[in-house]
Amino acid sequence: MSTSYNSSNGSSYTGSVRGQNGVISTGGSCEDEEYGDVSSVKKMDAPPSTAAYTEQQEQAQEQTNKVNSLCADFNYFICLCVPRASGPGDLAGRLGRWFWGQSDQFISSIIVSISMIPEAISYALIAGLPPSFALQSCWISCMMTAIIGGRPGMITSASGLSALLLYRLINTDTIGATSIMFVPFVVAFAGILQTFSSFFGFGKLATNFPAPMIVGMVNGLAILAFALQFRYAKVFPLTESEMTVSAAAAGDGKAVEVELTIALFAYFGKGLSWIQPWLNFGVYLGEVFLAFIVTMFVPKLTTFFPATIMAMLVVVAVEYGLARQFGADTPLLGDYGGVEVKYPWTTVLDSEYDLPSLASWETWKIVTGYGSALFATQFIETAIALNVVNRLDESDGPGFLVLFGQGLSNVLIGFMGGMGSSGVVSMSVLADRTFGTTCLSTFMTGAMLFIFMAWGYPIINYIPLSAISGISIAMACSFIQWRSLVAVFTAFLPNNQRLLLPPQFNVDRLDVCIMLVVTAACLTVDVSALALFCIGVAVSTVMVCRDRGSEESPGQEEIEDIEEEEEVEHVEVVQKQQSIYPSPSGSSGSRSDNHSNHGGCSVNPLDFMCDAAEEAIFPVNGGCV
């Protein structure tokens, strides 16, 4: 979809267009005699044919991509307002063209906000909180991060790993107040830590997270997202009276007790009963499969109409046109708690909140302890989502603004009675698949969710859960890294056989081990994100120190005699051979040599994650980054 028009004084506007692999390019251009090209960054003279110029050109292009990604919405605003409209008709025409050019962003926001509702409610159930806590977190975080200038195309909402941590808090035996009343303070404290961490280089750490940990975490989150869909086919465990803040009871456990909570079982909804009768269950599975097929394979035929919208319409037609005509009723969104929040603008100053006293030392021990753990968990999930979106858009997001904006939004979420937010991979992938790649899409996702909560719930509550589940399973299949499973098997092959493999399968054995450990921890331990945070900081510190040491070492490699010259020539011959045949993982040399060169391009560990289903997530161009 693309739109363009020329104004009377020569300014031009180009709307969003579909690029390669069906991805939307939203970097509109505005050119005017007076204002010039506002999207250009750097122009260089005629290039000399040198390697230095090539590197300089790549850096300039990378800088251009960053600015185009972050300033796309600003460019559209300039095109709308400059030059000044000649009258109401001209202004109305510009607004119409602007809305048409941004139609992909608005459609994406509707799809993502609807899909976010049952996922957020599930996270609230995992944490033992009313659904309103999760829904409040979703709309506030999306709007706040978009306004402050977070990563375009990255969706922030309530998350499952944070819910597991809050579940431990809810079941803690507190003094002077019910445990649920500590949640606003814990969330706000975590937000304050996030805000301050952005000033101490944590944003750079978030954008440069170790690749094996990213792969392992993405695989773990994909499996958890798939397990979460089973909850939708089970009986909703709460009554209407139990979904209020005042109905929450104090916990009976101890905060210092180390208890193992299997994350996979919590997502699966262990102990809940399946929907009955079995005819309804069978129809539900059939509708899920239908939505999955439409979402996965319609984009291969046409991208004119969003596949996710088509999947919802098809399932709605089957549900109300066929299933219910024969007496088969599958769960609707309204049966799963519903999206209605009577007063979404309620704050913790409301009478139903009985907050603990901040003058007590016991209160501060709970707030600081759980707040620090929640900060680490949210940081990990945000870092993973940020790196995935960076790969999707092929540009680096502003780590500082992401942490700063999310920290402020969590402070506001705590004040508004939410459970906190972080970057979510599943919803970010869904936004990208529906071409929502700007901050406008993220903002409108929060705005549409607020509209659904306050006024639109009578319509939204009639959407079948099977449609949302099928779309979510398709997204999980899209961002899970299938080729990492192949890399696990190839790690056990002898070195002479690994030499014959393509570079995306010849992955360092240590990286494969780290990936498996991270995935297993994500699936089994509820405090895995806290441990991963500490490991990530340690690994990143070691990598930085190693890189600095390697930069200082070339001065020791001076050639002083003929024997050293012959040795250097021998090393060069070996390196040329390794550019064709990747070196084995067990060979001597630095660890970076094990990620061998293929065709002159260095291979990133993330690139062994690509096939037809995941090509939109981690695209590979001839095996090179």
Side-chain angles (χ1 to χ4, degrees), residues 546-555:
R546 187 186 64 182
D547 293 341
R548 288 181 178 178
S550 62
E551 292 176 358
E552 298 174 357
S553 61

mmCIF file of all heavy atoms in Angstrom, residues 546-555:
data_model
loop_
_atom_site.group_PDB
_atom_site.id
_atom_site.type_symbol
_atom_site.label_atom_id
_atom_site.label_comp_id
_atom_site.label_asym_id
_atom_site.label_seq_id
_atom_site.Cartn_x
_atom_site.Cartn_y
_atom_site.Cartn_z
ATOM 1 N N ARG A 546 37.807 -8.376 26.736
ATOM 2 C CA ARG A 546 38.531 -9.127 25.719
ATOM 3 C C ARG A 546 38.725 -8.308 24.452
ATOM 4 O O ARG A 546 39.795 -8.320 23.835
ATOM 5 C CB ARG A 546 37.783 -10.418 25.391
ATOM 6 C CG ARG A 546 38.536 -11.346 24.463
ATOM 7 C CD ARG A 546 37.682 -12.523 24.078
ATOM 8 N NE ARG A 546 36.516 -12.099 23.319
ATOM 9 C CZ ARG A 546 35.567 -12.919 22.887
ATOM 10 N NH1 ARG A 546 35.645 -14.204 23.170
ATOM 11 N NH2 ARG A 546 34.546 -12.458 22.201
ATOM 12 N N ASP A 547 37.676 -7.567 24.044
ATOM 13 C CA ASP A 547 37.786 -6.730 22.843
ATOM 14 C C ASP A 547 38.818 -5.627 23.038
ATOM 15 O O ASP A 547 39.585 -5.312 22.131
ATOM 16 C CB ASP A 547 36.429 -6.133 22.500
ATOM 17 C CG ASP A 547 35.429 -7.192 22.060
ATOM 18 O OD1 ASP A 547 35.891 -8.284 21.680
ATOM 19 O OD2 ASP A 547 34.214 -6.928 22.125
ATOM 20 N N ARG A 548 38.835 -5.039 24.214
ATOM 21 C CA ARG A 548 39.821 -3.980 24.472
ATOM 22 C C ARG A 548 41.234 -4.554 24.468
ATOM 23 O O ARG A 548 42.177 -3.927 23.984
ATOM 24 C CB ARG A 548 39.526 -3.321 25.817
ATOM 25 C CG ARG A 548 38.267 -2.442 25.790
ATOM 26 C CD ARG A 548 38.041 -1.787 27.146
ATOM 27 N NE ARG A 548 36.876 -0.922 27.107
ATOM 28 C CZ ARG A 548 36.413 -0.251 28.164
ATOM 29 N NH1 ARG A 548 37.042 -0.353 29.333
ATOM 30 N NH2 ARG A 548 35.344 0.514 28.044
ATOM 31 N N GLY A 549 41.390 -5.774 25.005
ATOM 32 C CA GLY A 549 42.706 -6.385 24.995
ATOM 33 C C GLY A 549 43.180 -6.717 23.600
ATOM 34 O O GLY A 549 44.363 -6.597 23.276
ATOM 35 N N SER A 550 42.235 -7.143 22.746
ATOM 36 C CA SER A 550 42.618 -7.475 21.365
ATOM 37 C C SER A 550 42.995 -6.236 20.575
ATOM 38 O O SER A 550 43.789 -6.294 19.647
ATOM 39 C CB SER A 550 41.479 -8.216 20.677
ATOM 40 O OG SER A 550 40.328 -7.389 20.610
ATOM 41 N N GLU A 551 42.402 -5.071 20.939
ATOM 42 C CA GLU A 551 42.755 -3.831 20.250
ATOM 43 C C GLU A 551 44.159 -3.365 20.605
ATOM 44 O O GLU A 551 44.819 -2.688 19.827
ATOM 45 C CB GLU A 551 41.736 -2.745 20.603
ATOM 46 C CG GLU A 551 40.343 -3.024 20.027
ATOM 47 C CD GLU A 551 39.349 -1.980 20.473
ATOM 48 O OE1 GLU A 551 39.765 -1.074 21.255
ATOM 49 O OE2 GLU A 551 38.179 -2.049 20.069
ATOM 50 N N GLU A 552 44.628 -3.723 21.796
ATOM 51 C CA GLU A 552 45.952 -3.285 22.214
ATOM 52 C C GLU A 552 47.059 -4.262 21.790
ATOM 53 O O GLU A 552 48.230 -3.961 21.877
ATOM 54 C CB GLU A 552 45.979 -3.137 23.743
ATOM 55 C CG GLU A 552 44.990 -2.068 24.239
ATOM 56 C CD GLU A 552 44.938 -2.044 25.755
ATOM 57 O OE1 GLU A 552 45.636 -2.897 26.356
ATOM 58 O OE2 GLU A 552 44.228 -1.204 26.320
ATOM 59 N N SER A 553 46.706 -5.454 21.349
ATOM 60 C CA SER A 553 47.695 -6.486 21.082
ATOM 61 C C SER A 553 48.406 -6.390 19.747
ATOM 62 O O SER A 553 49.476 -6.972 19.615
ATOM 63 C CB SER A 553 47.034 -7.854 21.191
ATOM 64 O OG SER A 553 45.998 -7.964 20.243
ATOM 65 N N PRO A 554 47.901 -5.725 18.654
ATOM 66 C CA PRO A 554 48.597 -5.771 17.374
ATOM 67 C C PRO A 554 50.029 -5.277 17.400
ATOM 68 O O PRO A 554 50.837 -5.703 16.590
ATOM 69 C CB PRO A 554 47.727 -4.886 16.475
ATOM 70 C CG PRO A 554 46.368 -5.000 17.069
ATOM 71 C CD PRO A 554 46.604 -5.078 18.532
ATOM 72 N N GLY A 555 50.370 -4.397 18.335
ATOM 73 C CA GLY A 555 51.734 -3.904 18.366
ATOM 74 C C GLY A 555 52.747 -4.970 18.712
ATOM 75 O O GLY A 555 53.942 -4.809 18.466
#
